[in-house]
Amino acid sequence: MLNIVGGDLIVAPSVDLWLAAVAADPQEAQRRTDWWRNTNATMRALAVRIDGHMITSPKRGGTWSVMANDAGVCRRTFAGRLAWAKERGYLLQITEGSTPRYRSGTFRGLLDDGLGNLAAEYLLTIPIDALRTLGLDDEQVAELIREPEPQPMIREPFPAMSQEEWKEAPWPVETLAVRENCTPRVSGFSPRASEPLSARDARDTRPRRPSASPPATKPERLWSNTVTPGRKSDRLDACERLRYEDQTLRGLSAKYLRSLLRPLFAAGATLADAKYVINHRPDGRPWINTDPPRNLVGWVRHRVSTWFDKETGRLAAPLPSQVIARADRRRRAEQAARAEERARLEARRVDPPAELIGPLRARLEAVAAASRERRKASVPRQAPSRASRPGTDRLRRGWGPPVPAADAAIGASVS
C-alpha cells in the first residue's frame, strides 16, 4: 500500500523531515536570506499546530492571524508563503477558511448555520522528488512511500469458568461469562409508560418553528427574477423558486406564500423585488433581526405590510425594479435628446467656399513652421562633454562590437 495522497506527494512522516525538505528546495536556492528567514518562520508556525495526522488544527491556534503573529510576519507575507508552499507541494489544503457572511447558503450572514468562523486546514506533504535531494537512497525513499500495513485486531478470549463456578450455576439454565466492562447496560423499558408518537403530536399544541433545513427539490420551471408574475400559475412558480432559494421560507407551502405575497405581486413586483422586500425596509436598510422566526406567517406578513401605506394601500417606497426602470427611461430620453441635437447640428453644417481653403491652409502651415522655429530656439545648448580617455566609449555604450576609431586611439596610445 502506497503512502501517496495525490500525484507525487506523500504525507510527511515527521515534522523534522518536512522542515528539512522545505529548507532544501532546489529551485529556491537563489533566494535572499530574509526571504528564507520568513519562510522558515512561517513553516515552523504551521508545524507546531498539527495533530497526529499531520493536519493543522484550529483548536491549537491554526488560524492565519495567530500563526502570522507567532511567525513575526504580516498577514500578506504569511499568505504569500502559504501559496508558495501549496504550489511547490509542501502543503495540501483540506478545508478552506470561511465566515458566515461569505459562506454559501447563509444569505450573506442573514442565516446562522451554527459553524461560526472556520479556519483553513492544511496537510503537511512532501514531493517524492524532494526526498532524493535530502540524500536518501532508493531503499529509504521506497520505505517512506510505502505505508505500513494495518495490524489485525486481536480480541482477548473470555476466561473459562472453573468447575466450582459451574456447580454454583442453577440447573438446567446455561450461564455464559459476561464482562461488565464490555457488555452495555440496557435501560429499563415499560410498555405501559410508552405511547405512540402520533398521540404525542396530537396532544402537543405549542407553536413550532419551521425546520432549519427541510428537504428542498429544484422546481421544474425556474421563474425569472426580473419578470412580474401575473397569473396565479405564474405566481405559484415564482413562489416555488423563492422557497427553493430562501431557506427560511421553506417552512411555508408555495400556495400559502403566494397568498401572503399577493398584494406585492399585484403592485407590479418581480421575484427579485419580493426577495428585497422580505430582507429590507422601505428606506433601504436591512432588517437587523436575523434569528429564525417563531411565527413564519406573521413574520412574512409584517415585512410585506411595511412597504404599503395603511391609509391609501399604495406602495410607501418604489420597488427596486421601478427605480431601475425609471433610471432606464431617463437614460433613454437623454440619449434621444443628444441624438436629436446632433442631427440638428449636422443639418446646419455648411462647407466653406473652395477659394478660401487654399489661403487658410497656407496660413496654417506658416504658423506651424514659425512655432517649430521658436521651440528650437528656446532649447538651451548642452555644454561639450569632457574628453574621455581612449577606450572608455565602448564601456559607455555597452558590451557591443568595437568601434574602429576607438581601436585606432587605443593603438596610438600604446605605441
Side-chain angles (χ1 to χ4, degrees), residues 194-215:
S194 63
E195 56 182 357
L197 296 178
S198 59
R200 300 179 188 178
D201 296 340
R203 188 178 68 255
D204 192 2
T205 58
R206 295 175 299 175
R208 299 182 179 180
R209 295 185 179 182
S211 178
S213 57

Side-chain angles (χ1 to χ4, degrees), residues 371-401:
S371 178
R372 287 194 295 269
E373 293 296 335
R374 286 195 302 269
R375 285 198 301 270
K376 290 180 181 180
S378 61
V379 175
R381 295 183 179 180
Q382 297 181 357
S385 59
R386 185 175 56 182
S388 59
R389 291 180 296 176
T392 57
D393 53 344
R394 191 197 305 180
L395 299 176
R396 194 165 49 247
R397 287 184 287 104
W399 296 98

Side-chain angles (χ1 to χ4, degrees), residues 64-250:
W64 279 26
S65 301
V66 176
M67 289 189 293
N69 188 20
D70 189 11
V73 296
C74 63
R75 186 183 178 90
R76 181 177 180 180
T77 302
F78 186 82
R81 297 305 186 272
L82 289 183
W84 172 83
K86 290 190 292 184
E87 180 182 358
R88 296 292 299 138
Y90 298 110
L91 287 179
L92 183 64
Q93 187 168 359
I94 298 178
T95 304
E96 294 184 357
S98 61
T99 59
R101 182 176 181 182
Y102 299 103
R103 191 180 301 129
S104 60
T106 59
F107 294 91
R108 296 183 178 181
L110 296 178
L111 295 179
D112 186 8
D113 53 3
L115 300 178
N117 297 338
L118 296 179
E121 298 181 8
Y122 304 94
L123 174 66
L124 305 187
T125 57
I126 301 177
I128 298 178
D129 298 337
L131 294 175
R132 296 181 174 88
T133 60
L134 298 176
L136 304 178
D137 54 6
D138 296 339
E139 296 182 359
Q140 294 176 346
V141 172
E143 187 67 23
L144 292 176
I145 295 176
R146 188 182 303 110
E147 186 176 356
E149 297 292 337
Q151 298 294 334
M153 182 181 298
I154 301 177
R155 297 183 178 180
E156 299 178 358
F158 292 106
M161 298 181 63
S162 61
Q163 294 295 334
E164 298 180 356
E165 293 177 347
W166 279 110
K167 291 179 180 180
E168 295 178 358
W171 187 89
V173 179
E174 183 180 2
T175 305
L176 300 178
V178 177
R179 298 176 62 181
E180 295 183 357
N181 56 351
C182 296
T183 306
R185 296 182 179 180
V186 180
S187 59
F189 175 76
S190 175
R192 297 181 180 180
S194 63
E195 56 182 357
L197 296 178
S198 59
R200 300 179 188 178
D201 296 340
R203 188 178 68 255
D204 192 2
T205 58
R206 295 175 299 175
R208 299 182 179 180
R209 295 185 179 182
S211 178
S213 57
T217 57
K218 187 175 181 179
E220 298 180 358
R221 181 188 178 189
L222 287 177
W223 186 260
S224 177
N225 282 324
T226 59
V227 179
T228 301
R231 299 179 300 177
K232 296 178 65 176
S233 59
D234 297 341
R235 296 179 180 178
L236 189 62
D237 294 339
C239 293
E240 287 287 356
R241 177 172 181 177
L242 190 59
R243 291 180 65 254
Y244 175 71
E245 295 180 352
D246 196 331
Q247 188 178 10
T248 306
L249 299 179
R250 294 177 190 174

